[in-house]
Amino acid sequence: MRHKNGNKRLGRSSSHHKAMMGALVCALIKDKRIKTTVSKAKLARSMAEKMVTLGRSGTLAARRQAIAKLRREDIVAILFDEIAPTFEGRNGGYTRVIKLGRRSSDGSEMAILEWVESAVVADEVVAPA
């Protein structure tokens, strides 16, 4: 029975899923917006919001928890120093998912995952799919 197994793994092993989500959130922190599939964007959104919540607390323990999840100290530094302070007065809802339509190669539903406070032009989309 699947009681309380709410995590979608997208057909991957748990280690692959954790690595993929960490990589997507790192790309989001570094590039401010990423283009990926809708299901990956929705899963990465929850992890990104949790990382911003850790960044808002700003403690050493929170920084270590973020490093444990993201596995990149330079990205965690950007998160804690640049991104988290911009969301100081906001109680959640730090990201948005904008649906783009279907990918021509395999028909996967594509989306842009970006920070709410970013004022980037919608045409400048770069990131892993």
Side-chain angles (χ1 to χ4, degrees), residues 5-79:
N5 286 344
N7 296 339
K8 287 188 174 181
R9 288 198 340 225
L10 303 174
R12 292 161 171 83
S13 66
S14 60
S15 60
H16 185 181
H17 170 76
K18 289 176 188 175
M20 180 183 63
M21 287 300 114
L24 283 172
V25 173
C26 285
L28 176 64
I29 291 169
K30 188 174 79 169
D31 298 330
K32 309 296 188 247
R33 73 172 24 189
I34 57 174
K35 180 180 176 183
T36 184
T37 62
V38 172
S39 56
K40 286 181 189 176
K42 288 180 178 179
L43 289 175
R45 172 179 57 184
S46 67
M47 186 175 181
E49 303 234 351
K50 289 172 187 172
M51 293 299 109
V52 172
T53 303
L54 285 175
R56 285 181 57 193
S57 71
T59 63
L60 178 61
R63 188 175 292 259
R64 286 178 176 166
Q65 286 177 337
I67 291 170
K69 289 279 188 184
L70 300 179
R71 300 184 182 99
R72 297 211 23 212
E73 291 185 30
D74 56 334
I75 298 295
V76 172
I78 294 170
L79 171 69

